[in-house]
Amino acid sequence: MKSKELSVDLRDKIVSRHKSGEGYRKITAALKVPMSTVASIIRKWKKFGTTRTLPRAGRPSKLSDRGRRALVREVTKNPMITLSELQRSSVERGEPCRRTTISAAIHQSGLYGRVARRKPLLSKRHKAARLEFAKRHLKDSQTMRNKILWSDETKIELFGVNARRHVWRKPGTAHHEANTIPTVKHGGGSIMLWGCFSAAGTGRLVRIEGKMNAAMYRDILDKNLLQSALDLRLGRRFIFQQDNDPKHTAKISKQWL
């Protein structure tokens, strides 16, 4: 609970003892006032020349500084915590307040509610391999990058688990792992697509009927890969980039390439 303000008489005694040369510890021990309160009163006296309560700009906040710090700690620890959960924790701390008050307090710390981005669920091995790939091609020229045709399959969800989740985060942290929702390539209510793109734009998009195998993948490449490269004006010498999916590395796929 919030503590009551000290009386004007007690505040004046603190300043008087400070003027006479007493230190913070001695004043604290003599008047039984926390040292932080003593320091705050003396700072206010030095700045404004008075110990009286100054006119406030508006209604005093229902949240104490301690309550604000507790909210920020909770949001930092769990970015996907909801306002209702934060409201309940404030009540448990003895500071019941509205959701708008909690939201404003969190905004003051630079944290804002945003829709969480969906990112593939990656293991440590996946992350290490991706980092190694990025480092290996870090110094590639822009001319070389313009000649790459990237391709992959993707699943588009039609209903169910595609519900939006909000997350508390600071600007520029949308792709931090704690602020994203991991996704995996399985589940119902979806369609599977193959597509490709380059720096110049997007190539063909193909819907995959049923479960794709190596033979189906080879047929997709046969009908769409070279035509996409022509549409994107990549020329005869371009780099085709795919991942290590078993269908991509199968013997039948390698023979076609």
Side-chain angles (χ1 to χ4, degrees), residues 61 70 84 126 152 155 158 169 237 249 251:
S61 175
S84 297
H126 292 146
D152 201 5
K155 185 184 74 169
L158 301 180
R169 65 172 177 81
R237 299 181 62 83
T249 57
K251 186 177 180 180

Side-chain angles (χ1 to χ4, degrees), residues 173-243:
T173 63
H175 296 285
H176 288 193
E177 190 170 359
N179 299 336
T180 61
I181 299 174
T183 61
V184 292
K185 289 189 175 181
H186 57 74
S190 62
I191 59 172
M192 203 74 177
L193 302 168
W194 174 91
C196 60
F197 69 92
S198 75
T202 55
R204 290 190 169 187
L205 186 68
V206 181
R207 180 172 179 176
I208 301 167
E209 300 289 350
K211 187 175 182 180
M212 187 168 73
N213 54 29
M216 191 184 298
Y217 180 64
R218 179 203 57 190
D219 291 342
I220 289 174
L221 295 183
D222 193 43
K223 296 175 182 176
N224 300 279
L225 179 59
L226 293 177
Q227 185 58 48
S228 293
L230 287 172
D231 293 342
L232 295 169
R233 298 181 179 178
L234 294 180
R236 295 188 63 182
R237 299 181 62 83
F238 65 92
I239 301 168
F240 176 56
Q241 180 71 47
Q242 59 181 358
D243 59 24

Side-chain angles (χ1 to χ4, degrees), residues 26-45:
K26 196 170 182 180
I27 297 173
T28 295
L31 301 178
K32 303 293 188 295
V33 176
M35 193 181 299
S36 59
T37 305
V38 171
S40 176
I41 290 171
I42 292 172
R43 276 198 309 270
K44 179 179 178 180
W45 171 74

Side-chain angles (χ1 to χ4, degrees), residues 105-120:
I106 297 172
H107 290 170
Q108 288 176 354
S109 299
L111 295 159
Y112 301 90
R114 298 289 185 265
V115 176
R117 305 286 177 89
R118 292 179 175 271
K119 302 289 285 183

Side-chain angles (χ1 to χ4, degrees), residues 132-141 145:
E132 175 59 30
F133 177 87
K135 287 179 176 178
R136 192 163 65 246
H137 294 279
L138 189 62
K139 295 182 179 180
D140 290 353
S141 67
R145 292 177 183 174

Side-chain angles (χ1 to χ4, degrees), residues 76-94:
T76 304
K77 187 176 180 181
N78 178 17
M80 294 191 184
I81 193 170
T82 65
L83 276 173
S84 297
E85 292 170 331
L86 291 171
Q87 195 174 27
R88 284 195 294 271
S89 66
S90 291
V91 171
E92 291 170 1
R93 285 192 300 270

